Amino acid sequence: MNFVEELRWRGMIHDVMPGTEEQLLKEQTSAYIGFDPTADSLHIGHLVGVMMLKHFQRAGHRPIALVGGATGMIGDPSMKSAERNLLDEKTLRYFQECLKRQLSKFLDFDSDMSNRAIMVNNYDWTKDYTFLDFIRDIGKMITVNYMMAKDSVKKRLSADSKTGMSFTEFSYQLLQGFDYLYLYENEGCCLQMGGSDQWGNILTGTELIRRKTGGEAFALTCPLITKADGGKFGKTESGNVWLDPKRTSPYKFYQFWMNVSDEDAARYIKIFTILNREEIEELEKEQIAAPHLRPIQKRLSKEITIMVHSVEDYEAAVEASGILFGNSTSEALKKLDEDTLLAVFEGVPSFEIKQDDLKNGIKLIDLCTEKTTIFPSKGEMRKMVQSGGVSLNKERVSESDMFVGMDKLLNDKYLLLQRGKKNYFLLIVR
């Protein structure tokens, strides 16, 4: 597999240094991508880099995932408007373990293969390196003129920048270059990859390696992913879409990909899956023939939810989706855990009812007209019940005066009332 060609047809190359493709075709090569450990989970904004490493390993090469424990203490100025919070070592080590668990779903760290992935933390080789050693060994190799010419620096020093740039941030590209030099000398790594905003920092590393060792190193970047409408990829109203199920439930994760536009889905399925060109072209034909069936979104959601979570989580997400959008059963509803239930019915009207009202049982008609305002009158509710238009917990209601007790609660706390085909109401017992 030609790695560069693979990325090229997938739309995953922005810049590539001359000679990179020839190097990769010549021999097994080690390459790294850095991930700043700013949280205990990656989010989908990191997935492009993760997929680059996955394709790299599939092509027979050796991926290195670098956790930026040292650089994470500083903050990369690239495309940022302010410095980030600095972290202590204990927190960074914990974040590193969390990231490794997530990356293990994409990369082989454990086999006996010569191209098994490794994870490194740049804190390990910088923590005992003194400032005097750094400016003597590294600082003298790169001129200030060279560093000032970088777009990331010029942007922060421009007249319209209110914050300016600290020396800490200015030194970031030297530290990143030092990482590349260390991995070049100690791990035989001669390729660094990243997002297009990292191009300047990566080139600083290749230049440092050339000046320090006389060796040759390479660079490759991918485009920054955007949405077709210009919005920021990976952001929702509630914030980032995370890979950790405690931060973003598998259902919400699945729904994010299901809800992308046709135009975005056509790009994302090349970037975020390992489906081959023929499979994707077939899906594109299906999408043209029946766009309302959304075959690309369905396959994209399936592939990436299974990759990040599991087959079981994917199947549960599909089943949960059917509760709101399909003709699912009460059994499927009862299987939902509380987080998924709330995610499925996020945004639907809700009412709080007292536990005492249910302890001795209450007529459904009183619940829907007196304790809540689901129906404006008892007469209107009776009429809709007679026409088969009312359901409680996905079970058709045949009698308005049926008694509802604690035994009907979902997760010991909720009742789901459906009026007509599309109107849902969540009753929360306090």
Side-chain angles (χ1 to χ4, degrees):
M1 179 173 134
N2 182 328
F3 173 70
V4 174
E5 181 54 37
E6 182 75 10
L7 292 197
R8 192 173 282 128
W9 79 259
R10 290 180 182 276
M12 294 175 72
I13 288 187
H14 188 274
D15 288 302
V16 57
M17 184 180 283
T20 302
E21 188 167 6
E22 291 77 5
Q23 165 63 32
L24 295 174
L25 291 173
K26 181 175 68 176
E27 61 188 356
Q28 185 182 95
T29 302
S30 295
Y32 89 93
I33 291 179
F35 300 92
D36 275 344
T38 53
D40 60 0
S41 173
L42 299 171
H43 54 73
I44 61 174
H46 295 110
L47 270 182
V48 185
V50 176
M51 292 305 296
M52 288 174 79
L53 289 179
K54 186 174 182 67
H55 289 304
F56 194 70
Q57 191 169 45
R58 289 176 66 233
H61 299 294
R62 178 175 174 249
I64 301 173
L66 180 142
V67 174
T71 40
M73 289 182 168
I74 294 173
D76 177 6
S78 301
M79 316 301 277
K80 308 291 194 304
S81 58
E83 292 192 43
R84 61 168 54 126
N85 295 330
L86 310 185
L87 303 169
D88 59 65
E89 184 183 355
K90 183 179 177 183
T91 303
L92 286 166
R93 293 295 184 191
Y94 170 68
F95 287 175
Q96 177 181 345
E97 287 305 309
C98 294
L99 268 53
K100 176 134 186 218
R101 280 197 300 274
Q102 291 184 337
L103 289 171
S104 294
K105 295 187 175 183
F106 297 85
L107 303 172
D108 169 19
F109 285 95
D110 302 316
S111 77
D112 295 328
M113 300 292 287
S114 61
N115 70 327
R116 68 179 177 276
I118 63 169
M119 176 174 275
V120 296
N121 188 332
N122 61 12
Y123 184 74
D124 293 330
W125 58 81
T126 54
K127 68 181 191 303
D128 297 323
Y129 204 61
T130 70
F131 179 69
L132 289 176
D133 287 338
F134 186 78
I135 58 174
R136 182 193 64 200
D137 299 340
I138 306 302
K140 70 178 182 181
M141 292 289 165
I142 303 293
T143 66
V144 170
N145 306 54
Y146 181 90
M147 296 171 70
M148 294 279 286
K150 294 289 185 286
D151 288 339
S152 59
V153 175
K154 286 195 288 190
K155 182 183 177 185
R156 289 293 295 275
L157 293 177
S158 64
D160 60 349
S161 173
K162 297 177 182 178
T163 57
M165 176 184 259
S166 68
F167 173 76
T168 303
E169 284 188 293
F170 184 61
S171 66
Y172 186 94
Q173 62 176 294
L174 273 186
L175 273 172
Q176 187 168 329
F178 178 46
D179 289 342
Y180 199 173
L181 173 66
Y182 179 89
L183 292 175
Y184 178 87
E185 292 181 327
N186 292 274
E187 295 291 345
C189 176
C190 66
L191 173 61
Q192 184 184 169
M193 303 187 290
S196 57
D197 60 328
Q198 292 294 309
W199 183 248
N201 289 343
I202 296 173
L203 290 186
T204 298
T206 64
E207 184 66 10
L208 180 61
I209 288 167
R210 186 185 69 79
R211 294 184 184 185
K212 187 82 174 166
T213 71
E216 188 174 25
F218 302 94
L220 186 152
T221 60
C222 63
L224 297 179
I225 304 301
T226 56
K227 294 200 295 185
D229 63 6
K232 189 168 183 180
F233 168 74
K235 288 279 189 180
T236 65
E237 289 181 7
S238 56
N240 285 322
V241 179
W242 299 90
L243 306 196
D244 189 323
K246 294 193 293 292
R247 286 175 171 261
T248 300
S249 71
Y251 170 78
K252 279 190 172 181
F253 185 85
Y254 168 82
Q255 281 296 325
F256 172 83
W257 300 101
M258 277 297 294
N259 290 327
V260 300
S261 69
D262 289 358
E263 188 176 346
D264 286 334
R267 286 189 303 130
Y268 295 167
I269 198 159
K270 295 175 182 174
I271 296 169
F272 298 112
T273 76
I274 58 171
L275 297 178
N276 63 40
R277 194 185 298 213
E278 291 72 26
E279 289 174 296
I280 291 174
E281 286 174 352
E282 189 59 38
L283 284 166
E284 288 171 342
K285 291 176 187 173
E286 291 177 26
Q287 189 91 355
I288 292 169
H292 62 288
L293 296 179
R294 314 185 89 212
I296 293 183
Q297 282 93 336
K298 287 178 180 176
R299 189 64 185 277
L300 170 65
S301 304
K302 177 180 180 178
E303 294 290 323
I304 199 161
T305 303
I306 289 173
M307 195 154 38
V308 170
H309 296 292
S310 68
V311 173
E312 292 75 19
D313 285 327
Y314 160 72
E315 291 171 347
V318 172
E319 192 169 37
S321 300
I323 289 168
L324 191 56
F325 306 115
N327 297 314
S328 63
T329 64
S330 60
E331 290 307 310
L333 182 66
K334 289 171 186 174
K335 283 196 291 185
L336 295 186
D337 60 76
E338 184 176 11
D339 288 344
T340 305
L341 176 76
L342 293 176
V344 170
F345 295 102
E346 185 178 24
V348 307
S350 63
F351 298 93
E352 289 192 7
I353 56 176
K354 294 178 181 177
Q355 196 176 78
D356 289 344
D357 292 331
L358 290 186
K359 278 186 177 175
N360 299 317
I362 184 173
K363 287 182 179 180
L364 183 63
I365 196 165
D366 294 337
L367 195 60
C368 294
T369 59
E370 296 176 7
K371 301 297 180 182
T372 67
T373 56
I374 293 172
F375 284 93
S377 70
K378 292 185 177 181
E380 187 170 327
M381 179 173 171
R382 286 196 177 98
K383 194 182 298 181
M384 187 167 275
V385 168
Q386 287 171 1
S387 65
V390 179
S391 295
L392 176 66
N393 295 344
K394 280 289 179 179
E395 292 179 345
R396 183 77 50 84
V397 173
S398 57
E399 179 52 61
S400 301
D401 291 330
M402 70 175 282
F403 275 85
V404 180
M406 298 290 287
D407 59 313
K408 292 287 187 182
L409 292 181
L410 304 167
N411 290 293
D412 300 320
K413 192 174 179 181
Y414 305 97
L415 293 169
L416 181 69
L417 211 295
Q418 188 174 352
R419 188 186 74 196
K421 286 186 177 181
K422 296 181 179 179
N423 297 310
Y424 288 95
F425 303 87
L426 195 62
L427 280 59
I428 306 167
V429 179
R430 301 291 188 192

